[in-house]
Amino acid sequence: MITIRHRDERGVANMGWLNSNHSFSFGHYFDPGHMGFRALRVINEDRVIPGAGFPTHGHANMEIVSYVLNGALEHKDSIGTGSVIRPGEVQVMSAGRGIRHSEYNASDTEPVHFLQIWILPEANNLAPGYQQADFPAEQKRGTLKLVGSRDGRDGSVTIHQDVDLYAALLDGEESATLPLRPGRHAWVQVARGRVHLNGTLLKAGDGAALTDEEAVTLDRADEAEVLVFDLA
């Protein structure tokens, strides 16, 4: 079964400096029918104007993944990390028993466009941590590249949950398939472009939940960038 979450149905927050679309309930947007999917709790598509951002604030017991599409995102946190995340890089911050951080557009002239993803951890009160890894376009071209996993295999960032996160760049006749083991679920998020998922057209901003499907097949794409979550 595939359930589409159309982009125009998402929650919206426009604060002037921030334009955000929420696939699931978040902040002032509450929809009891869209509280998350399996361990996946938040997918926010954020656009932040030059020089603006989120001042220092706290999190606990959440795995927070940032995936930058355009521009650059500056991160600072209470465990001493300072970094800039750019397109192709994946950041995961394990909030654990508590962490404080800020996120700002690193540019004074260009906007930043990114996905912020929250995943419920497999255990509470873990030690907070931070990881960042670069996955060049050629690693994702025409294939599903593992970028996040529970065990950090193949150079992926470590997510403290039974989840594999893949990223793909697809265009034209390029295709990619991810078999799903019995009892597994998947969420597909189209970050940009257009792509067919198991025969159904999805556009940038669309998401889809898959249950009792044998595989995720992505094909007939038009400059698509896609994230796929393989979930327990």
Side-chain angles (χ1 to χ4, degrees):
M1 180 176 69
I2 301 177
T3 304
I4 308 299
R5 176 64 159 152
H6 291 288
R7 59 185 180 181
D8 295 335
E9 298 173 349
R10 296 178 296 174
V12 176
N14 193 335
M15 303 177 187
W17 62 271
L18 168 69
N19 187 356
S20 183
N21 292 101
H22 308 325
S23 295
F24 305 118
S25 291
F26 184 85
H28 296 295
Y29 168 65
F30 176 70
D31 181 345
H34 295 92
M35 295 300 297
F37 180 71
R38 313 301 294 179
L40 184 56
R41 178 61 187 84
V42 167
I43 300 179
N44 290 348
E45 182 179 3
D46 291 345
R47 292 175 171 85
V48 177
I49 66 172
F54 303 89
T56 301
H57 58 284
H59 294 284
N61 296 319
M62 195 66 69
E63 302 290 290
I64 300 175
V65 178
S66 296
Y67 188 93
V68 174
L69 296 166
N70 293 104
L73 185 67
E74 183 176 10
H75 166 96
K76 294 181 181 178
D77 63 42
S78 56
I79 61 173
T81 308
S83 67
V84 175
I85 308 119
R86 303 183 188 279
E89 297 178 324
V90 176
Q91 173 220 59
V92 61
M93 184 180 74
S94 297
R97 57 179 173 263
I99 195 170
R100 294 180 63 77
H101 79 136
S102 63
E103 291 174 299
Y104 279 89
N105 187 338
S107 172
D108 291 327
T109 58
E110 300 294 332
V112 61
H113 178 199
F114 66 102
L115 298 179
Q116 184 161 110
I117 298 150
W118 292 12
I119 297 171
L120 296 166
E122 58 190 353
N124 286 337
N125 299 321
L126 299 168
Y130 180 92
Q131 275 188 287
Q132 185 173 329
D134 184 28
F135 301 94
E138 57 268 23
Q139 295 184 6
K140 297 175 284 187
R141 172 58 57 195
T143 190
L144 283 159
K145 170 64 178 175
L146 184 71
V147 299
S149 65
R150 185 191 221 168
D151 56 6
R153 67 188 184 279
D154 299 332
S156 61
V157 298
T158 300
I159 300 171
H160 294 104
Q161 180 53 268
D162 184 7
V163 55
D164 286 336
L165 172 58
Y166 297 86
L169 297 173
L170 301 166
D171 192 35
E173 298 303 312
E174 295 173 334
S175 65
T177 296
L178 176 69
L180 295 174
R181 303 189 305 276
R184 301 292 291 186
H185 306 259
W187 181 274
V188 174
Q189 188 71 30
V190 182
R192 55 180 148 209
R194 297 152 59 96
V195 68
H196 285 78
L197 163 66
N198 293 12
T200 298
L201 175 63
L202 298 181
K203 302 175 183 179
D206 288 343
L210 288 80
T211 298
D212 295 326
E213 294 284 326
E214 294 183 355
V216 174
T217 297
L218 303 169
D219 58 16
R220 289 177 286 162
D222 181 8
E223 297 184 348
E225 186 161 5
V226 186
L227 296 182
V228 177
F229 301 80
D230 181 341
L231 300 152

